[in-house]
Amino acid sequence: MSDIPDTHPRAASLRLRERLVEGLHAGIVTETGLIAHGRGEAIDYLLGERTHPFAERAVAAASAVLTLAAHPVVTTNGNVVALVGRELVALAEHHPRLAFEVNLFHHSPERAQRVLSHLRGLGLARAMHFSESAAPAVLPGLDSARRFMHPEGVGKADAVLVALEDGDRCQALVASGRTVVAIDLNPLSRTAKMAQVTIVDELTRVVPALDRQLLTDRTAPREELERRLAEYDNRAVLREAVAAIRTGFAGE
Amino acid sequence: MSDIPDTHPRAASLRLRERLVEGLHAGIVTETGLIAHGRGEAIDYLLGERTHPFAERAVAAASAVLTLAAHPVVTTNGNVVALVGRELVALAEHHPRLAFEVNLFHHSPERAQRVLSHLRGLGLARAMHFSESAAPAVLPGLDSARRFMHPEGVGKADAVLVALEDGDRCQALVASGRTVVAIDLNPLSRTAKMAQVTIVDELTRVVPALDRQLLTDRTAPREELERRLAEYDNRAVLREAVAAIRTGFAGE
């Protein structure tokens, strides 16, 4: 499919672009989703396109949150499905406790169906969407179709993983009493600041790392996970992420 | 056309996105052009979406370069035409000495024709493209169709304005002995570093400002313009731009 040689210095970044462009042509990704990806690309470039220690600590905390939760749910949108569809399928196979729900910023019934079909076609049969519930739940504080929740998904979740998510939905999820883990390259975004655990790293690096950590934590004593969360400092993570990006933007 | 109210805090930025999405649908902008725009958006956000003094100094120097040149040429690509097509038409009307040439990163004869037709439809009748020359000139150091130059455009230019341009073409233009003015939001890009004058600012703010400065400079004594260029320090401009962006990315 791809003409990008492995030796190209920007091969990983260029392959992600290809996935998004394919997603656009498949009607999964929107045009503004491509622009949003470019904003993230700029930050990942400044991070040296690598995972930093602050992101590793956040992934460990995220795993603790999801492992301790009664009803952990991963929510995905068009960009997420285009970028890490296969990695989400692996995550779902390894962790049967995790629920998956699609939530789109630019919602239409047709687009939601395309995203769902794509995920299910990859193998994520249990992906949910509010439109397939007879009685969707409603998240207060949002006024678009993004407020609807599947009652078996985000509707009953106590912990939600959001990725590349808009600030107002993250804020509404936190305000509803749910614990929110966010994957966001911009440590200054509202999403990054509102979430209890913020993973500042590129999505295709985060999902496999989180998958591995969740496998390890499955046999961890509950007290260890609780201690890990008690010691976790999300503000420090965000501060370190800002510092790393500023260092990346250092001139010569 | 647009549903974005003037009072929206990000109205200007959202309107630019609309222009690009329309450009994509018209076959003028590419998908990777949308992603590239997102990268620029991230930086403009950190600049506070306003013109800084270092950009004003660079615009003054750019105007001096173009005014003193024997054959100044403005080169445009798909994103540039989508973002500032109308502003380029005004620039062309006000400054008959300026030539305009289309040069595409993702070239195809059809796309080149669409971009040219679009520009001419807006009123820029004298826009050139190498494909309309019987004997295109060749810029050494490039291996794609980007190396071709119209002999009446970049081919005979002594000064070239490039906007949102790739580093290798900027480098090749400088290596050919031409004076290059670049408009680029990333002061760390190869384009920004290679150009003799780098305007670190958003394109839709730059073109009208440059237009006004060129009008003022039309009656300026040659010695004044030469002195302005002698005193101009592009490295200082780039340093100040980096500092402004780092300040924008300051966290709490």
Side-chain angles (χ1 to χ4, degrees):
Chain A
M1 291 289 281
S2 168
D3 291 334
I4 304 166
D6 289 336
T7 52
H8 191 291
R10 310 290 317 280
S13 172
L14 295 177
R15 290 220 178 86
L16 295 187
R17 279 190 208 169
E18 284 193 331
R19 291 188 199 177
L20 278 176
V21 172
E22 285 167 15
L24 179 76
H25 295 164
I28 289 170
V29 168
T30 64
E31 292 87 349
T32 50
L34 288 190
I35 297 174
H37 181 72
R39 291 200 300 277
E41 240 187 33
I43 299 182
D44 196 31
Y45 176 78
L46 297 175
L47 287 172
E49 294 175 352
R50 66 184 175 85
T51 299
H52 289 250
F54 53 79
E56 291 172 352
R57 271 155 44 216
V59 163
S63 175
V65 166
L66 299 174
T67 302
L68 291 170
H71 296 289
V73 178
V74 175
T75 89
T76 68
N77 57 31
N79 274 28
V80 172
V81 167
L83 287 170
V84 288
R86 289 175 195 286
E87 290 82 351
L88 289 178
V89 171
L91 188 71
E93 284 176 358
H94 297 157
H95 307 286
R97 291 183 67 245
L98 289 178
F100 290 81
E101 181 167 341
V102 170
N103 187 284
L104 302 178
F105 187 83
H106 295 284
H107 171 78
S108 75
E110 298 73 25
R111 189 167 164 244
Q113 205 49 57
R114 281 195 298 270
V115 174
L116 268 181
S117 300
H118 182 79
L119 263 180
R120 288 172 180 161
L122 289 174
L124 216 164
R126 68 181 189 268
M128 286 180 264
H129 185 256
F130 75 80
S131 62
E132 297 184 340
S133 156
V138 172
L139 182 66
L142 289 179
D143 61 2
S144 64
R146 288 181 303 148
R147 72 184 182 280
F148 295 119
M149 308 180 282
H150 197 292
E152 298 302 311
V154 179
K156 75 169 181 183
D158 52 346
V160 181
L161 173 74
V162 299
L164 320 180
E165 184 57 82
D166 211 56
D168 59 351
R169 181 160 178 259
C170 182
Q171 184 164 14
L173 286 167
V174 170
S176 74
R178 291 170 174 86
T179 302
V180 177
V181 173
I183 304 173
D184 195 321
L185 275 162
N186 182 1
L188 300 179
S189 74
R190 188 148 55 119
T191 292
K193 290 177 178 173
M194 291 299 308
Q196 283 94 338
V197 176
T198 308
I199 305 169
V200 182
D201 199 6
E202 201 280 318
L203 190 57
T204 63
R205 295 195 299 269
V206 173
V207 176
L210 180 61
D211 194 345
R212 288 189 298 273
Q213 184 71 47
L214 283 167
L215 283 172
T216 303
D217 287 345
R218 197 177 292 173
T219 54
R222 191 177 177 88
E223 305 75 52
E224 180 190 318
L225 300 176
E226 286 171 345
R227 191 168 53 240
R228 190 191 297 163
L229 282 181
E231 290 170 357
Y232 178 75
D233 181 351
N234 203 50
R235 285 202 198 167
V237 161
L238 294 178
R239 267 198 311 274
E240 290 172 40
V242 168
I245 292 166
R246 283 171 58 94
T247 302
F249 211 96
E252 299 303 297
Chain B
M1 293 288 281
S2 168
D3 291 334
I4 304 166
D6 288 338
T7 52
H8 191 293
R10 310 289 317 280
S13 173
L14 296 177
R15 290 219 178 86
L16 295 188
R17 280 191 206 169
E18 283 193 331
R19 292 188 199 177
L20 278 177
V21 172
E22 286 167 16
L24 179 75
H25 295 165
I28 290 170
V29 169
T30 64
E31 292 87 350
T32 50
L34 288 190
I35 296 175
H37 181 72
R39 291 199 299 277
E41 240 186 34
I43 299 182
D44 196 31
Y45 176 78
L46 297 174
L47 287 172
E49 295 176 351
R50 65 183 176 84
T51 299
H52 289 250
F54 54 78
E56 290 172 352
R57 270 153 46 214
V59 163
S63 174
V65 165
L66 298 175
T67 303
L68 290 170
H71 295 291
V73 178
V74 175
T75 88
T76 68
N77 57 32
N79 275 26
V80 172
V81 167
L83 287 170
V84 288
R86 288 177 196 283
E87 290 82 350
L88 289 178
V89 171
L91 188 70
E93 284 175 359
H94 297 156
H95 307 286
R97 289 183 68 246
L98 289 178
F100 291 81
E101 181 166 343
V102 170
N103 187 284
L104 303 178
F105 187 82
H106 295 285
H107 171 78
S108 75
E110 298 73 25
R111 188 166 165 245
Q113 205 50 57
R114 282 195 298 270
V115 174
L116 268 181
S117 299
H118 181 79
L119 263 180
R120 288 173 180 160
L122 288 174
L124 216 165
R126 68 181 189 267
M128 286 180 263
H129 185 256
F130 74 80
S131 62
E132 298 184 339
S133 156
V138 172
L139 182 65
L142 289 178
D143 60 2
S144 64
R146 289 181 302 148
R147 72 184 182 279
F148 296 118
M149 307 180 283
H150 197 292
E152 298 303 309
V154 179
K156 76 171 183 185
D158 53 346
V160 181
L161 173 74
V162 299
L164 320 180
E165 184 57 81
D166 211 57
D168 60 349
R169 181 159 178 260
C170 181
Q171 184 165 15
L173 286 167
V174 170
S176 73
R178 293 170 173 85
T179 302
V180 177
V181 173
I183 304 172
D184 195 320
L185 275 161
N186 182 1
L188 300 178
S189 74
R190 187 147 55 119
T191 293
K193 290 176 178 173
M194 291 299 308
Q196 284 95 337
V197 176
T198 308
I199 306 168
V200 181
D201 200 8
E202 202 281 317
L203 191 57
T204 63
R205 296 195 298 269
V206 172
V207 176
L210 180 61
D211 194 345
R212 287 189 298 273
Q213 184 71 47
L214 283 166
L215 282 173
T216 304
D217 286 345
R218 198 178 291 173
T219 54
R222 190 177 178 89
E223 305 75 51
E224 180 191 318
L225 300 176
E226 286 170 346
R227 190 169 54 240
R228 190 191 300 164
L229 282 181
E231 290 169 358
Y232 178 75
D233 181 350
N234 204 50
R235 285 200 199 169
V237 161
L238 295 178
R239 267 198 312 273
E240 289 171 39
V242 168
I245 292 166
R246 282 171 60 95
T247 302
F249 210 93
E252 291 305 294

